[in-house]
Amino acid sequence: AMPRRAGIGGLGGGLGVAGLQARQAAKERAEDAGGYLQEQTRRQMADKCEVLTQKLETFAKQHKNDIVKNPEFRSRFNAMCSAIGVDPLNSNKGMWGALGMGDFYYELGVQLVEVCLAQRSRTGGIDSTDDVLLLLQKKRGPRAQPIAMEDLERAVRNISELGKGIEIITVGGRRMVQSVPLELSQD
């Protein structure tokens, strides 16, 4: 008769049905432990994200004027938000709405459409992002809060969510605002 070997790590080394059952039971225990650890990790991450979001909200309230008036500060604020998966300036809910920034980008989007429509007969609906930014700044006037390229890009994203009409494309290495559908602009 063949001598029976001891199992490794409780997996059972026996042959036959008892050995298979022992290995299956050990596998199930390992899967249960793994599932428990995954759930614990998920809960911890969710808690940390909640804390970060609360701290970001507090920061936003404390620095509202800088966020609204300073494009460079707004850009850095956006980067902080993106790092934790929050898009506060694309939302008009809760605290982010209190900043008035959701409305800011939709208003900027309306101004963007107006600028693009005014330029369309002259440019065929394709303008450099630099030109569009300058035209937007001129349209807004010197008393409006300053805008930067990132603000233009975010306004284009907000408008493009409403359907095909305005998007940023790259032509010959230059970034352009396309304000007519591509299939119409090839005439």
Side-chain angles (χ1 to χ4, degrees):
M2 187 185 249
R4 187 174 167 106
R5 296 183 322 191
I8 299 174
L11 294 179
L15 302 173
V17 175
L20 289 174
Q21 288 174 337
R23 281 191 291 277
Q24 183 62 34
K27 180 181 174 189
E28 289 172 3
R29 284 192 306 272
E31 287 174 356
D32 288 346
Y36 173 78
L37 288 174
Q38 275 185 322
E39 180 59 23
Q40 287 296 100
T41 302
R42 188 199 63 74
R43 281 190 194 139
Q44 288 172 353
M45 293 304 291
D47 291 346
K48 287 179 182 181
C49 282
E50 180 64 29
V51 168
L52 282 173
T53 300
Q54 289 170 357
K55 288 186 181 214
L56 197 56
E57 288 174 359
T58 300
F59 177 86
K61 287 175 185 174
Q62 291 172 348
H63 298 281
K64 176 182 177 179
N65 288 338
D66 291 324
I67 293 169
V68 171
K69 294 179 180 175
N70 183 333
E72 185 178 338
F73 194 88
R74 189 165 46 244
S75 176
R76 290 182 180 171
F77 177 70
N78 279 330
M80 284 191 318
C81 292
S82 294
I84 65 166
V86 173
D87 190 1
L89 304 182
N90 199 21
S91 171
N92 204 23
K93 297 177 182 141
M95 189 285 303
W96 308 121
L99 288 176
M101 295 305 288
D103 288 340
F104 167 77
Y105 283 105
Y106 289 108
E107 180 182 310
L108 188 60
V110 169
Q111 293 167 343
L112 169 68
V113 169
E114 291 170 352
V115 164
C116 289
L117 288 175
Q119 292 294 105
R120 190 178 284 178
S121 64
R122 190 175 67 76
T123 64
I126 298 181
D127 302 280
S128 77
T129 52
D130 292 332
D131 289 346
V132 172
L133 182 62
L134 288 173
L135 289 167
L136 273 172
Q137 290 168 335
K138 183 177 177 183
K139 179 174 186 56
R140 293 171 57 76
R143 300 179 112 185
Q145 62 195 76
I147 57 173
M149 189 60 69
E150 184 177 325
D151 297 320
L152 168 64
E153 292 166 354
R154 190 172 289 277
V156 168
R157 282 194 304 272
N158 283 347
I159 291 295
S160 67
E161 289 175 8
L162 300 175
K164 282 192 120 178
I166 296 182
E167 62 183 326
I168 295 179
I169 60 172
T170 302
V171 177
R174 289 188 66 202
R175 297 183 70 227
M176 309 293 280
V177 175
Q178 177 183 306
S179 60
V180 292
L182 185 59
E183 50 274 6
L184 297 179
S185 67
Q186 293 176 342
D187 293 353

